[in-house]
Amino acid sequence: MEIQLLRVRDGQPVNAELSALNDQHLADFETFWKNRLRSSEEEDVYWDWVKKNRLYGSAPNFESYAIACEQMTQGLMMIETRGYRSWAEPHRRLVYVDYLATAPWNRPSLQNPPEYRSVGSILLRFARYRSEELGYGGLVGLHALPRAKKFYDKMGMIDCGQDPEKQNLTYFEWYRQRPSVMDVVESV
């Protein structure tokens, strides 16, 4: 799927590709991301995308995606498409974002100005798109690393509070209430 990122240095939109995770994306992580993250204080410093893909990549309820731009992987995301339900309405299913990361050079905490903007937000919106495709009404949930909470607030996700079952990480949800039968009847 062709998308556009914003190249910060000149403010220009640049064509990019959002696709299923592949070996080239994992090689970019190993070659270009890993050492730069290891020398940082980022909260995802020990995430190993190669290992995650090996463990979950063939599971039927996991999907992994990447954004590549100018022949380099700019962002990675792994979602679960079954097994999670909304905190607000537990009878409704949602897409759960297990992991979402942008390349080190796209993080203002590591490079100012960053190379590209919109990588994380595009991946998150794609999770919402997958939720729609699966018939879940756009519901998306995730547990946020502490420094990422501001980002999820900015994206309009609902802060549902800390989850003691997930290391007290804050749970966020993109939640849309479905109209009740009475709402539909009253609008006719």
Side-chain angles (χ1 to χ4, degrees):
M1 166 184 298
E2 191 167 302
I3 58 163
Q4 287 197 323
L5 299 177
L6 178 67
R7 189 172 48 217
V8 175
R9 73 175 175 261
D10 58 9
Q12 293 299 307
V14 180
N15 289 336
E17 183 75 22
L18 191 157
S19 64
L21 183 72
N22 64 40
D23 290 341
Q24 184 59 53
H25 302 131
L26 296 172
D28 287 349
F29 168 79
E30 283 290 315
T31 305
F32 302 105
W33 291 37
K34 198 173 191 175
N35 286 337
R36 193 152 175 201
L37 286 172
R38 291 276 156 83
S39 64
S40 76
E41 294 181 16
E42 295 295 288
E43 294 170 317
D44 63 333
V45 68
Y46 295 109
W47 287 5
D48 185 335
W49 285 87
V50 173
K51 184 177 180 180
K52 289 177 188 318
N53 187 59
R54 190 172 49 250
L55 292 172
Y56 307 113
S58 61
N61 60 317
F62 280 88
E63 296 177 6
S64 300
Y65 298 95
I67 291 178
C69 181
E70 298 181 337
Q71 296 154 5
M72 178 61 63
T73 303
Q74 304 297 331
L76 299 165
M77 177 177 68
M78 184 175 283
I79 62 174
E80 281 187 75
T81 57
R82 291 191 308 250
Y84 281 88
R85 301 206 173 261
S86 169
W87 279 23
E89 289 186 67
H91 65 279
R92 292 181 66 193
R93 292 182 180 188
L94 56 73
V95 165
Y96 182 80
V97 178
D98 280 290
Y99 304 101
L100 188 150
T102 61
W105 49 86
N106 294 326
R107 301 177 188 201
S109 59
L110 296 179
Q111 179 172 313
N112 197 3
E115 188 71 25
Y116 297 101
R117 288 202 197 280
S118 304
V119 176
S121 58
I122 289 170
L123 285 168
L124 194 58
R125 284 194 298 269
F126 184 75
R128 187 178 232 176
Y129 169 78
R130 285 294 294 134
S131 174
E132 291 282 354
E133 276 190 329
L134 293 165
Y136 302 164
L139 271 67
V140 175
L142 59 85
H143 287 84
L145 294 172
R147 289 189 212 151
K149 288 172 31 175
K150 237 185 218 182
F151 169 72
Y152 297 116
D153 279 332
K154 190 172 102 176
M155 290 298 296
M157 295 186 83
I158 299 166
D159 180 336
C160 298
Q162 291 182 315
D163 184 355
E165 294 183 22
K166 286 275 195 172
Q167 303 157 341
N168 284 325
L169 293 175
T170 302
Y171 178 76
F172 283 86
E173 199 168 285
W174 252 336
Y175 169 75
R176 291 186 197 159
Q177 187 172 3
R178 285 199 175 147
S180 71
V181 174
M182 290 308 295
D183 292 337
V184 174
V185 170
E186 288 175 6
S187 68
V188 174

